[in-house]
Amino acid sequence: MIRRLGCSALGCFGSIALTLLALGVGWFGFVQPAIGNLTGQLETTLNGGPAAPQPRAGNPEDLQAPLTRAELEKFVRIRREVRKSMGNAFPQLQQIYADIQAGEPVNAWTALQAVRALGSSVADARAALERGLVAENLSRERYAFVRQKVNLALGLPQVDLAGVLGELARSQENGSLPDLSGKVTAATPEERQQVEYFAKELRVTAPLGLLGL
């Protein structure tokens, strides 16, 4: 389903731009304009309407405090609503996720094609996430922290297609090559035990993490 270009595995983020150039893909003639157009469309869709309640502001503890069962319950409830908001597009996201787990490359082409294939459901899912964060009194930072712990505890791939696009878009602004590498720490035995209780449902909604949700 996903065209094979660029890196051959999940861990090859740092060389994406160089790989695209080596393969003859027009970085400045095609990839950059496509990224700019797509991210601009998403930004307009997400921010063009009336102001909505915003999640609480993040703080340093959001990236340091131990994971709790109450937060996991909040995370599961938010994920349910986000999945529901995607409607018939969710199976498409599941297929993209399965392709990546099977070894499909993660590069700019993958990210662009995936987000385009999902269409307006990406904006709907993002809006559902924002509503969920407000309802559950979670900051975006804390939600991302919980998501990372869940993925690590379940042994799920750490891939964020929305993050790939965002990093590529930022690289345009300063003229640098995108750095898509990242460092994560392993989940603790206690975290794995906490997450295991919700494992069945969390594995089903795991593809949402590809969109940073």
Side-chain angles (χ1 to χ4, degrees):
M1 179 176 180
I2 300 175
R3 184 174 177 180
R4 292 180 177 275
L5 291 175
C7 305
S8 61
L10 296 178
C12 205
F13 290 170
S15 63
I16 287 177
L18 293 178
T19 302
L20 289 171
L21 289 171
L23 291 175
V25 177
W27 174 259
F28 293 100
F30 168 70
V31 177
Q32 284 192 328
I35 293 169
N37 291 338
L38 181 59
T39 54
Q41 291 169 5
L42 290 177
E43 191 71 18
T44 299
T45 300
L46 296 178
N47 299 326
Q54 295 296 303
R56 71 168 175 81
N59 59 63
E61 290 186 0
D62 286 342
L63 302 178
Q64 299 172 357
L67 182 66
T68 68
R69 181 185 174 102
E71 287 178 322
L72 282 170
E73 291 173 348
K74 292 180 178 182
F75 184 82
V76 169
R77 288 195 292 268
I78 292 173
R79 273 280 178 88
R80 286 174 187 162
E81 294 304 310
V82 175
R83 176 190 176 186
K84 187 186 302 182
S85 73
M86 294 197 72
N88 294 333
F90 186 71
Q92 290 180 282
L93 184 62
Q94 286 180 305
Q95 184 58 57
I96 294 169
Y97 184 77
D99 288 344
I100 290 175
Q101 283 191 305
E104 291 283 356
V106 179
N107 51 37
W109 179 263
T110 300
L112 285 167
Q113 292 299 97
V115 174
R116 281 174 171 165
L118 295 170
S120 62
S121 64
V122 176
D124 294 337
R126 177 64 62 183
L129 172 61
E130 294 292 293
R131 292 193 300 271
L133 293 177
V134 172
E136 300 291 353
N137 192 32
L138 281 179
S139 70
R140 296 182 183 92
E141 293 81 2
R142 189 61 180 178
Y143 183 86
F145 172 88
V146 176
R147 182 180 66 233
Q148 182 187 82
K149 293 296 185 181
V150 164
N151 288 346
L152 290 173
L154 295 179
L156 301 174
Q158 297 284 308
V159 181
D160 180 354
L161 297 181
V164 171
L165 287 176
E167 184 61 35
L168 290 171
R170 284 190 291 273
S171 73
Q172 294 181 79
E173 298 177 0
N174 54 29
S176 65
L177 295 178
D179 178 11
L180 302 178
S181 60
K183 296 180 180 179
V184 296
T185 57
T188 66
E190 293 78 13
E191 289 167 347
R192 287 195 291 270
Q193 185 176 16
Q194 287 177 313
V195 170
E196 184 59 32
Y197 183 84
F198 305 97
K200 183 176 181 180
E201 182 169 2
L202 288 171
R203 288 187 184 280
V204 172
T205 59
L208 293 170
L210 295 179
L211 299 175
L213 302 171

